[in-house]
DNA sequence: TTGTATGCGTTATCAA
DNA sequence: TTGATAACGCATACAA
């Protein structure tokens, strides 16, 4: 019979970690003194302090942050609510948020919702139960907007990347979606395109709407809109459907994000069309794969990292100092990356 | 003078949230009864319960999870320590971890270390201060290994993706790195390659070492090894240096991860070499960009999501039930994805 | 069916 | 320079 493989297990359950009382008793002082030795909040006799510190080391005492938080009324932890961490855009955003949080000694709870309303609600519950001091909210599912609205009146919440329809007075950091759409519109127009297919995101998400608006205005030509859901599959499906029905009579496609652009690219390739010779394609986000794709995707670079970092820094400035940040709204600049997937319009052919 | 823009701010700081005492007082019962109405831990008169519930709603009472955690001795939160969330491999892993945690009602704190030892230490401090119930540890910086070892004797820690040299008896979920290297070795050998350049990761990371070992054994031919750091820049630099000095006398490059493979690809392209006509390139990980690159990258698919999910599930089984999981080690299968970046060896040319 | 008293581990207040 | 006590907000053992 083999020996118990996990001494780990036993130790965890059996040995109770040392508390401040244990240290105080062993050092022959009061818990108050121990606390002050560790915090430096008031002077302690050097001799006493040394004795306490030695006991702390011997017992391996580490203050229970939970008790500290209960006493202090805050946990030094915030949440980051996003739909999908495996989307590189949100991963970059998360990195910025984590950096900003770490800079101020805050922890960050990853709230990945997959656009699921129940999941989002559960995570928002963490702020109501005051387990987190605040929440950076990036693009949730529309159904929870009402609940969000109620929360924003009571708890610190900052919006990142995505405006929420009808919500105002909020802290918000977002890329300039409208300008991004405009840049693509101008670019395609300059290339001689006059008829374009626009793959939008869900109407409820303002970022996608803004991109579409900026595009339509700047492009000037004829634009057919199809509503997608920001997933690769929907970009594929929308374009494939149009091709099947022979209804793709345009020379350019603008997808409201790169994933849908990739879907479109696949559908076009399967139909035997060449990008950009037969048709141009542009995306939005500039995820890592965009520059590595074949052809490299013309797209709008979003400062995802900065969006996450800025929104979080704003939130924390508010959380830590109880201050209203100097600017409640940050609109971060975007940049058009012209790559190989767009080219001058060719004569329209029947398909 | 504009009105105070943030009523939010005032409410947060002024109104103290209702406590269980407030509810008890308003409902004319004891805090104990309120507690039991909400927890269902003991029967309560239906009439009384209804009254309590109504007060709970009116006051918007939500139990402070902090106090609950202090009493219960656990927070229902664990940590996920990774080097870089913007690497899609770790993003996928994080998604799996988050899913597993969410399934069991646990929160997940994102500990992004950038391979920084201080940052890692700070995050490991969260487990010592018992703010988190456990930690999923994926590939940290070698310097902290000793500290990790000490922690594993006292706190629940599961290793994901990366073994840690000299650590044993641990919960661990990892991809079969050695088999992955072997698959690439066999593949290149079958294509007629006999001389290969191997870009490894840091020697301290066993995953990279295992990949290299599997490769070298299965390949059989001559292998030149160069040590990189898993970053795109090092893949570029290593290959560029060899090219500069005319020392790249091989027909294939195997990079221990996709990022370095991309760096190599760039260096080769800049040198006017064609992949795979002049030289074959293979990677490891199968990050999203791999299939979209030009040419599409032959690589080893790692089940990143499953690695994260499995490691987390193991950890939580241990954390929640105090049980030793049935298997302490999970080695997950990998899969070779043959794409366009590898081809039959061509006659060796002088470069 | 309900209430009282105690403890979780810390820090702040007040007193010495 | 130090300590006793209360308080943070909850859950539970024990008592009624």
């Amino acid at each position: 019979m083999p020996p118990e493989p996990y001494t780990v297990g036993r130790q965890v359950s059996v040995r109770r970690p040392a508390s401040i009382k244990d240290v105080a008793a062993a050092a022959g002082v009061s818990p108050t003194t121990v606390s002050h030795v560790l915090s430096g909040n008031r002077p302690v006799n050097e001799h006493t302090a040394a004795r306490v510190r030695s006991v702390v080391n011997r017992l391996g005492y580490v203050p229970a942050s939970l008790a500290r938080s209960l006493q202090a009324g805050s946990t030094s932890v915030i949440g980051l609510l996003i739909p999908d961490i495996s989307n590189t855009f949100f991963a970059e955003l998360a990195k910025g948020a984590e950096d900003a949080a770490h800079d101020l000694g805050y922890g960050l709870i990853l709230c990945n919702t997959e656009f699921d309303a129940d999941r989002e609600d559960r995570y928002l519950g963490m702020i109501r139960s005051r387990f987190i001091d605040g929440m950076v909210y990036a693009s949730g599912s529309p159904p929870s907007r009402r609940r969000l609205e109620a929360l924003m009146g009571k708890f610190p919440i900052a919006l990142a990347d995505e405006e929420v329809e009808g919500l105002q007075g909020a802290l918000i950091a977002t890329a300039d979606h409208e300008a991004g759409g405009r840049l693509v519109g101008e670019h395609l127009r300059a290339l001689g395109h006059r008829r374009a297919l626009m793959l939008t995101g869900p109407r409820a998400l303002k970022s996608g709407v803004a991109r579409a608006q900026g595009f339509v205005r700047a492009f000037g030509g004829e634009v057919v809109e199809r509503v997608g859901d920001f997933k690769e599959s929907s970009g594929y499906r929308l374009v494939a459907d149009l091709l099947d029905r022979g209804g793709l009579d345009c020379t350019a496609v603008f997808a409201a994000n790169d994933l849908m652009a990739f879907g479109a690219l696949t559908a076009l390739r399967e139909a035997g069309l060449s990008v950009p010779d037969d048709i141009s394609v542009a995306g939005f986000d500039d995820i890592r794969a965009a520059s590595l794709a074949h052809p490299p995707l013309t797209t709008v670079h979003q400062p995802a990292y900065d969006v996450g970092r800025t929104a979080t820094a704003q939130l924390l400035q508010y959380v830590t100092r109880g201050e209203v940040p100097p600017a409640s709204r940050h609109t971060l600049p975007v940049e058009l990356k012209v790559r190989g997937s767009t080219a001058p319009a060719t004569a329209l052919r029947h398909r």
Side-chain angles (χ1 to χ4, degrees), chain A:
Chain A
M1 183 161 281
E4 184 70 39
Y6 279 84
T7 58
V8 174
R10 276 211 300 279
Q11 291 184 3
V12 169
S13 52
V14 166
R15 201 149 66 193
R16 196 204 50 169
S19 80
I20 198 169
K21 280 185 189 170
D22 300 326
V23 176
V29 298
S30 74
T32 306
T33 297
V34 176
S35 175
H36 286 120
V37 168
L38 265 44
S39 72
N41 276 352
R42 87 180 178 193
V44 175
N45 178 292
E46 191 41 55
H47 200 68
T48 312
R51 197 167 70 248
V52 169
R53 269 190 280 268
S54 120
V55 173
V56 164
N57 283 333
R58 183 158 54 79
L59 267 48
Y61 168 67
V62 180
S65 48
L66 216 53
R68 201 173 253 181
S69 293
L70 180 61
Q71 152 71 29
S74 85
T75 59
S76 290
V77 173
I78 58 173
L80 171 66
L81 193 146
I82 54 178
D84 181 12
I85 188 66
S86 71
N87 178 325
T88 57
F89 172 76
F90 289 110
E92 282 288 346
L93 190 153
K95 189 171 181 172
E98 203 268 355
D99 274 349
H102 181 266
D103 284 351
L104 276 75
Y106 271 70
L108 186 77
I109 293 196
L110 177 61
C111 310
N112 205 62
T113 67
E114 320 266 339
F115 287 111
D116 179 82
D118 288 343
R119 202 150 167 172
E120 178 171 332
D121 284 350
R122 218 207 82 200
Y123 278 125
L124 288 176
M126 298 187 86
I127 200 172
R128 308 194 68 204
S129 72
R130 285 144 286 155
F131 191 85
I132 56 179
D133 293 346
M135 179 73 93
V136 177
Y137 184 96
S139 177
S141 66
S144 291
R145 203 184 310 146
R146 246 185 248 167
R147 169 166 309 217
L148 189 59
E149 197 157 15
L151 283 177
M152 290 192 61
K154 295 184 189 164
F155 302 98
I157 296 184
L159 267 34
D161 170 54
E162 185 68 69
E163 264 178 281
V164 174
E165 181 88 40
L167 269 187
Q168 39 201 318
L171 303 177
I172 176 166
T174 172
D176 197 337
H177 301 292
E178 204 269 345
R182 219 165 48 221
L183 289 172
V184 174
E186 287 162 1
H187 171 62
L188 291 179
R189 175 174 192 76
L191 287 174
H193 294 272
R194 292 295 175 267
R195 295 178 61 85
L197 168 65
M198 162 96 224
L199 305 179
T200 75
R203 297 229 180 279
L205 296 180
K206 287 206 73 174
S207 61
V209 173
R211 291 170 195 180
Q213 284 177 344
F215 175 74
V216 169
R217 270 185 218 138
F219 183 63
E222 197 169 335
V223 177
V224 176
E225 287 196 19
R226 285 290 182 276
V227 178
D229 62 5
F230 280 149
K231 292 179 186 165
E232 188 167 356
S233 56
S234 88
Y236 177 86
R237 190 173 33 73
L238 289 173
V239 171
D241 282 357
L242 281 171
L243 286 167
D244 282 352
R245 290 181 288 161
L248 190 65
D249 55 344
C250 61
T251 61
V253 177
F254 173 38
N257 77 347
D258 287 348
L259 288 182
M260 288 198 298
F262 285 138
L265 238 32
T266 304
L268 293 169
R269 184 167 47 234
E270 288 182 1
L273 292 175
S274 163
V275 175
D277 296 336
D278 295 326
I279 188 166
S280 287
V281 174
F284 205 111
D285 283 350
D286 194 23
I287 63 178
R288 165 170 221 84
S291 59
L292 294 162
H294 181 62
L297 188 66
T298 293
T299 186
V300 176
H301 178 80
Q302 274 207 85
Y305 177 90
D306 291 333
V307 168
R309 184 170 189 107
T310 304
T312 306
Q314 278 188 282
L315 177 73
L316 287 180
Q317 180 172 358
Y318 178 51
V319 165
T320 56
R321 302 207 278 267
E323 274 176 25
V324 177
S328 64
R329 167 179 217 94
H330 285 235
T331 304
L332 280 50
V334 298
E335 188 184 349
L336 180 67
K337 299 278 190 184
V338 177
R339 302 208 179 96
S341 67
T342 50
T346 52
L348 195 63
R349 308 186 303 197
H350 279 288
R351 295 175 184 121

